[in-house]
Amino acid sequence: MLKTLIITLLLAVIVSLFSGLFFLIRDGGKTNRVINSLALRVALSVLLLLVILLSLWQGGLTLNPTP
């Protein structure tokens, strides 16, 4: 469940990245859609980081101590 949430958030960040690129090419940066895409991408990235940190803190994810 937790790993599925992390993968979903990561995919949402990637989709937001490419939608921002699409809006930049299509609109030429004249509208606010690129800025909105950037804001969404930053918010999703912060949420992803918080989910990972919380799951590490609570023991849902563990670090691999051996290479």
Side-chain angles (χ1 to χ4, degrees), residues 33-45:
R33 294 197 296 181
V34 176
I35 296 170
N36 292 339
S37 175
L38 174 66
L40 178 65
R41 187 168 62 246
V42 168
L44 286 171
S45 298

